[in-house]
C-alpha cells in the first residue's frame, strides 16, 4: 500500500517563503489525515508543494506508489470556472487529460460509477454554471477521484456542503480510502469532523508545523488555546466519541 | 444511503453522453453544409449573376461549361469566396483560443490590438511609403501590416512570460495597444494626402476584393498547420477553462500551454488581418457562437469555431454583394451589421450562458 511522509518540507511563492519545516510520520494508504490551521496558515500552499505544483526545500517521501508522479493529486479549493460544459463532460475531462480524442465505453462507465457513488447522477447533464457551490464541490471530488489517485489532497472539500453532505462525503472518503488503499489528506475547519473521521492530524499556523500525530493526541485544549485562541474542551459524548466543545475565545 | 446505488441503472449517463456527442457531430455537419451552400451562393453573385446549378457545373464539370463561366468562377470569384472562409476560420479560431487561454470573453485579435497594429503598419506603407521590412516592395502594405501585427502579438506574448503578469493584465495591455495604434493611425491619417487617406480608410474597413490564390493558399496553410497543434492539446485547453488551479491539478502545465498557444495564435491572427484589413467582429463572435452551439469541449469547440467563423464571413460576403446592386460593400463593416442581430438572437435565445 502507498505511504507518504514529509520531511522538513517548505514552499515559497517567488522569494517569499510561506511554509517551512513540515515533517510528518508515515501516512499510510487507507487512512485519512486532517490538515488544520487558521486561515492563511499555509494549508493550500503545503498541498500544492506536496503535489509538485510548487517547488521548495525538503522531501516528500512516497513509497509503494504504482503510478509514479501521477500518484499524488491535489483537489483545489477554488471551485470557480464558468466553462460551458456539463458535469459529465467536466469529469470526463479530468479522466482524459494526456490521452487521445477517442472515448471508450469503459472510460464512460468509470464516470458513471463515480457520479453514482457521489450521488450526483441527477446533475450529470446540467451545466457547470447552473450548479450551487456545494454541487460544484461534489463535482470537484468526482474530478479528483476519477483519476484514481493513490494520494489525494483535498483542500477544504466540505466548506460549501450542508451538514448531511459533509457527513456523507467524509464517510464516503473514509470508505473509499480503505477500499482503494488511498492516502487522503483533507484540509478542514470543522475540528469535530477531524476528530470523528481522521486518523491523523497535522496542525499548521503561520507556515510552521505546530503538531502532527494521532488526531486525539493533537486536538487538545492547549493546542486550541495557542493556535485557535479559544478556550475549549474535548469530552466524550454519551456514546463515547470525542467531541470538541468551545467555551469562549481566549482572554 | 444513496452511495450504494445499484449497478443496473449506472449505464444511463454513458448513453446520454453518446447521444450528446452525436448531436454535436450532426451540428458540425450541418454547419459544414451551410458553409458549402454559402460559398456556392457567394460564387454565383456578382456583376453577372449565375444560378447555383451553373456554379456547381463549373466546379465539378469544369470542362463542360463556357470559358467565361469557368474563368469567372475559378479565377475571379473563388479566391474571394475561399478567402472569406480561410480568413473567417483563422480569426475565429484565434479568438477562441485567446478567450480560452486568457479566460476572458472579450479577447480576440481585434481587442488585443493585433488588428489595430496591422492597420497602422499598412498605413505606414500607404501614407509614408515606409517599409518596415525592406523586402518585396510590391507587397509593402501586407508585409508592413504583418510585421506590426506580429510585433504586437509578440509584445503580448513576451509580456505574458513575465513573472506575476496575470491574464487580466494581458487583456489590459491589449486594450492599451488598441488605443496606442489607433492614435498613431489617426496621426498618420491627419498628415496624409487625400489620396493616401482614402486608401487607408479603405484598407482599415477590411475587404476581400484583394484576394488572390496565393493569399488564399497562405492563410489556408497557416490554418492547416496550426489546427493540429490545438487539437493535440484539446483536453488541456478545455481544462484551462475550469481555472488555472484546476487545470494544474489535472496535470496541465498551464504556463507553458498558455505561452505556446499565444505564439501560435499570434501567427494565426496576424496573417489574415494583413491581407484583408480590419475584420474585427468574426474573431470575437465566431467563438461565442461555437460555444453556444456545442459547448467548450475543444474536440467540438475547435471545429465549431472554424466553421462558425468561416460561415459568418462567407454569409457576410454574400450580403455585402446584395445590399447595393452592383456594389460590393466593405466586408469589415458588413460583418458587424450582419453578425450583431444574429448574435443577439443566439444570446437571448440560448439556454447556455457563457461568462
Ligand atoms: N499565489 C500566491 N502568491 C503569493 N502569496 C500567496 C499566494 N497564495 C497564497 N499566498 C499567501 O500564502 C499564505 C498562505 O496561504 P494559503 O496556503 O492559501 O493558506 P490557507 O490555505 O491555510 O488558508 C497567505 O499569507 C497568502 O497570502
Ligand atoms: Mg486554503
Amino acid at each position: 500500500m502507498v505511504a507518504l511522509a514529509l520531511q522538513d518540507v517548505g514552499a515559497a511563492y517567488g522569494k517569499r517563503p510561506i511554509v517551512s519545516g513540515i515533517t510528518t510520520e508515515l501516512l499510510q494508504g487507507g487512512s485519512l489525515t486532517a490538515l488544520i490551521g487558521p486561515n492563511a496558515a499555509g494549508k493550500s500552499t503545503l498541498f500544492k508543494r506536496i503535489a509538485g505544483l510548487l517547488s521548495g526545500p525538503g522531501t516528500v517521501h512516497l513509497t509503494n506508489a504504482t503510478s509514479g508522479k501521477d500518484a499524488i493529486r491535489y483537489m483545489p479549493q477554488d471551485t470557480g470556472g464558468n466553462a460551458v460544459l456539463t458535469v459529465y463532460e467536466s469529469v470526463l475531462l479530468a479522466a482524459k487529460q494526456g490521452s487521445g480524442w477517442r472515448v471508450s465505453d469503459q472510460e464512460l462507465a468509470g464516470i458513471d460509477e463515480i457520479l453514482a457513488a457521489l450521488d450526483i447522477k441527477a446533475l450529470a447533464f446540467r451545466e457547470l454554471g447552473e450548479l450551487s457551490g456545494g454541487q460544484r464541490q461534489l463535482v470537484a471530488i468526482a474530478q479528483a477521484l476519477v483519476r484514481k489517485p493513490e494520494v489525494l489532497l483535498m483542500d477544504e472539500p466540505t466548506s460549501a456542503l450542508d451538514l448531511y453532505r459533509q457527513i456523507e462525503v467524509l464517510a464516503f472518503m473514509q470508505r473509499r480510502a480503505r477500499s482503494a488503499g488511498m492516502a487522503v489528506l483533507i484540509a478542514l475547519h470543522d475540528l469535530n469532523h477531524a476528530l470523528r473521521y481522521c486518523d491523523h492530524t497535522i496542525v499548521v499556523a503561520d507556515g510552521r508545523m505546530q503538531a502532527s500525530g494521532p488526531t486525539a493526541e493533537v486536538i487538545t485544549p492547549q493546542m486550541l488555546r495557542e493556535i485557535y485562541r479559544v478556550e475549549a474542551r474535548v469530552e466524550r459524548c454519551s456514546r463515547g466519541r470525542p467531541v470538541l466543545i468551545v467555551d469562549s475565545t481566549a482572554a | 444511503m444513496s452511495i450504494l446505488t445499484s449497478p443496473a441503472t449506472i449505464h444511463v449517463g454513458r448513453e446520454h453522453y453518446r447521444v450528446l456527442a452525436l448531436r454535436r457531430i450532426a451540428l458540425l455537419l450541418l454547419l459544414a453544409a451551410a458553409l458549402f451552400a454559402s460559398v456556392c451562393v457567394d460564387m454565383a453573385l456578382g456583376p453577372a449573376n449565375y444560378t447555383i446549378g451553373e456554379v456547381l457545373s463549373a466546379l465539378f464539370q469544369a470542362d463542360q461549361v463556357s470559358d467565361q463561366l469557368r474563368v469567372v468562377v475559378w479565377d475571379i470569384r473563388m479566391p474571394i469566396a475561399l478567402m472569406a472562409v480561410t480568413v473567417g476560420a483563422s480569426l475565429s479560431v484565434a479568438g477562441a483560443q485567446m478567450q480560452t487561454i486568457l479566460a476572458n470573453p472579450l479577447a480576440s485579435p481585434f481587442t488585443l490590438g493585433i488588428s489595430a497594429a496591422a492597420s497602422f503598419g499598412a498605413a505606414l506603407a500607404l501614407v509614408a511609403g515606409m517599409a518596415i521590412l525592406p523586402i518585396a516592395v510590391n507587397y509593402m502594405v501586407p508585409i508592413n501590416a504583418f510585421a506590426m501585427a506580429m510585433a504586437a502579438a509578440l509584445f503580448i506574448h513576451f509580456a505574458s512570460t513575465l513573472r506575476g503578469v496575470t491574464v487580466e493584465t494581458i487583456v489590459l495591455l491589449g486594450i492599451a495597444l488598441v488605443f496606442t495604434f489607433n492614435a498613431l493611425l489617426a496621426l498618420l491619417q491627419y498628415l496624409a494626402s487625400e489620396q493616401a487617406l482614402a486608401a487607408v480608410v479603405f484598407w482599415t474597413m477590411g475587404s476581400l476584393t484583394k484576394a488572390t490564390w496565393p493569399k488564399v493558399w497562405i492563410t489556408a496553410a497557416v490554418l492547416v498547420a496550426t489546427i493540429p497543434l490545438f487539437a493535440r492539446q484539446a483536453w488541456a485547453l478545455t481544462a484551462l477553462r475550469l481555472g488555472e488551479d484546476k487545470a494544474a491539478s489535472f496535470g496541465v502545465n498551464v504556463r507553458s500551454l498558455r505561452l505556446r498557444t499565444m505564439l501560435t495564435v499570434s501567427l494565426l491572427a496576424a496573417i489574415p488581418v494583413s491581407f484583408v484589413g480590419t475584420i474585427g467582429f468574426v474573431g470575437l463572435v465566431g467563438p461565442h457562437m461555437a460555444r453556444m452551439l456545442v459547448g467548450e469541449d475543444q474536440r467540438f469547440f475547435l471545429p465549431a469555431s472554424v466553421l462558425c467563423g468561416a460561415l459568418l464571413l462567407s454569409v457576410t460576403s454574400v450580403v455585402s454583394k446584395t445590399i447595393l446592386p452592383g456594389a460590393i460593400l466593405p466586408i469589415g463593416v458588413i460583418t458587424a451589421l450582419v453578425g450583431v442581430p444574429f448574435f443577439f438572437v443566439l444570446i437571448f435565445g440560448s439556454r447556455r450562458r457563457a461568462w
Side-chain angles (χ1 to χ4, degrees):
Chain A
M1 216 183 293
V2 72
L4 177 84
L6 307 184
Q7 194 186 337
D8 211 17
V9 165
Y13 282 112
K15 286 207 169 59
R16 191 171 142 228
I18 304 288
V19 294
S20 59
I22 311 283
T23 300
T24 66
E25 65 274 88
L26 209 58
L27 307 171
Q28 294 283 357
S31 71
L32 260 59
T33 303
L35 176 62
I36 64 172
N39 291 329
K43 301 182 292 294
S44 303
T45 308
L46 177 61
F47 272 172
K48 287 181 195 171
R49 166 69 180 89
I50 299 173
L53 302 174
L54 286 175
S55 54
T59 325
V60 176
H61 291 289
L62 188 64
T63 44
N64 292 334
T66 52
S67 48
K69 92 183 216 315
D70 251 11
I72 306 182
R73 207 137 281 289
Y74 170 57
M75 180 192 138
Q77 179 172 20
D78 168 34
T79 52
N82 41 14
V84 185
L85 291 170
T86 61
V87 167
Y88 201 92
E89 289 174 291
S90 77
V91 179
L92 177 66
L93 184 57
K96 288 295 291 177
Q97 286 303 320
S99 53
W101 276 33
R102 190 167 281 282
V103 175
S104 71
D105 278 344
Q106 200 187 346
E107 285 165 326
L108 293 183
I111 291 163
D112 281 324
E113 187 264 327
I114 207 84
L115 294 182
L118 284 164
D119 194 21
I120 48 173
K121 275 203 305 180
L123 298 181
F125 292 94
R126 296 266 298 278
E127 304 252 334
L128 290 179
E130 300 172 1
L131 302 185
S132 73
Q135 289 170 328
R136 278 163 174 263
Q137 236 163 13
L138 293 170
V139 173
I141 296 172
Q143 289 169 335
L145 286 176
V146 78
R147 299 198 60 116
K148 303 210 184 315
E150 293 174 74
V151 176
L152 179 57
L153 314 172
M154 308 177 85
D155 205 344
E156 302 190 21
T158 54
S159 60
L161 299 180
D162 63 40
L163 189 56
Y164 176 87
R165 287 295 203 172
Q166 290 176 30
I167 301 297
E168 188 182 42
V169 160
L170 288 167
F172 171 72
M173 289 312 302
Q174 199 175 44
R175 283 197 306 276
R176 195 91 179 181
R178 307 259 194 272
S179 65
M182 171 173 55
V184 180
L185 278 72
I186 310 181
L188 277 178
H189 280 304
D190 188 328
L191 302 189
N192 272 315
H193 287 338
L195 279 169
R196 179 154 171 197
Y197 293 101
C198 298
D199 310 284
H200 297 270
T201 293
I202 302 167
V203 187
V204 288
D206 286 331
R208 305 203 162 266
M209 198 180 72
Q210 309 294 328
S212 170
T215 302
E217 294 172 21
V218 168
I219 299 184
T220 60
Q222 192 200 351
M223 185 280 285
L224 291 161
R225 191 177 310 116
E226 285 171 11
I227 307 296
Y228 284 92
R229 293 178 294 147
V230 292
E231 294 296 337
R233 294 164 279 150
V234 180
E235 297 193 345
R236 300 267 156 196
C237 76
S238 59
R239 297 198 179 154
R241 284 201 197 108
V243 184
L244 175 72
I245 300 157
V246 177
D247 294 314
S248 64
T249 54
Chain B
M1 182 167 225
S2 46
I3 277 171
L4 304 168
T5 314
S6 78
T9 55
I10 270 176
H11 63 282
V12 175
R14 179 166 91 202
E15 280 158 18
H16 193 140
Y17 177 75
R18 292 285 190 209
V19 171
L20 191 73
L22 281 179
R23 201 155 52 202
R24 289 187 177 155
I25 292 171
L27 257 172
L28 291 177
L29 292 176
L30 213 63
L31 281 173
L35 178 60
F36 181 73
S38 167
V39 169
C40 288
V41 173
D42 198 6
M43 289 192 289
L45 296 178
N49 281 336
Y50 298 116
T51 64
I52 301 293
E54 284 171 313
V55 169
L56 288 175
S57 316
L59 282 183
F60 297 110
Q61 302 163 311
D63 46 344
Q64 288 170 32
V65 299
S66 72
D67 281 353
Q68 190 224 3
L69 175 61
R70 191 169 58 237
V71 168
V72 167
V73 168
W74 280 87
D75 296 346
I76 299 175
R77 293 191 190 166
M78 204 188 294
I80 295 178
L82 291 185
M83 195 74 183
V85 172
T86 55
V87 167
S90 301
L91 291 177
S92 176
V93 171
Q97 303 306 17
M98 284 176 177
Q99 290 170 9
T100 301
I101 59 174
L102 296 177
N104 193 307
L106 293 177
S108 78
F110 186 69
T111 44
L112 288 188
I114 296 177
S115 295
S119 297
F120 172 67
L124 264 185
L126 294 167
V127 175
M130 193 199 276
I132 295 172
L133 303 176
I135 46 166
V137 185
N138 290 340
Y139 297 100
M140 199 202 299
V141 176
I143 289 176
N144 262 13
F146 177 74
M148 286 313 291
M150 248 355 242
L154 290 179
F155 173 75
I156 300 253
H157 170 81
F158 285 114
S160 28
T161 63
L162 299 177
R163 286 220 166 271
V165 171
T166 64
V167 291
E168 290 85 0
T169 324
I170 299 295
V171 174
L172 285 176
L173 269 179
I175 290 173
L177 282 187
V178 172
F179 281 110
T180 309
F181 283 115
N182 281 348
L184 290 172
L185 179 64
L187 201 61
L188 275 180
Q189 286 176 327
Y190 183 76
L191 299 172
S193 71
E194 216 153 281
Q195 198 186 357
L197 180 62
V200 171
V201 169
F202 181 71
W203 195 92
T204 53
M205 276 182 178
S207 162
L208 292 172
T209 51
K210 287 170 299 213
T212 58
W213 275 113
K215 290 180 186 173
V216 172
W217 286 123
I218 292 172
T219 41
V222 172
L223 197 58
V224 167
T226 50
I227 282 180
L229 300 180
F230 300 134
R232 254 207 315 246
Q233 300 291 338
W235 295 113
L237 284 166
T238 313
L240 217 44
R241 291 288 296 112
L242 297 177
E244 246 172 79
D245 270 4
K246 185 58 79 66
S249 80
F250 287 176
V252 176
N253 186 339
V254 174
R255 199 177 146 76
S256 139
L257 177 65
R258 218 174 240 152
L259 291 180
R260 271 181 298 149
T261 306
M262 194 60 163
L263 211 53
T264 320
V265 153
S266 305
L267 192 64
L268 197 53
I271 293 272
V273 296
S274 53
F275 285 153
V276 300
T278 309
I279 302 182
F281 198 68
V282 184
L284 182 65
V285 167
H288 283 291
M289 285 179 181
R291 191 174 286 120
M292 285 183 249
L293 289 172
V294 301
E296 288 194 273
D297 179 338
Q298 289 260 346
R299 293 175 307 151
F300 304 106
F301 179 51
L302 181 61
S305 299
V306 169
L307 290 169
C308 284
L311 182 61
L312 193 60
L313 207 54
S314 182
V315 168
T316 308
S317 173
V318 170
V319 172
S320 71
K321 290 180 188 176
T322 44
I323 291 183
L324 278 182
I328 300 181
L329 299 175
I331 194 153
V333 177
I334 306 298
T335 336
L337 296 182
V338 173
V340 167
F342 187 41
F343 191 45
F344 276 10
V345 169
L346 269 178
I347 287 182
F348 293 115
S350 173
R351 193 173 56 82
R352 288 165 183 270
R353 288 278 177 270
W355 276 289

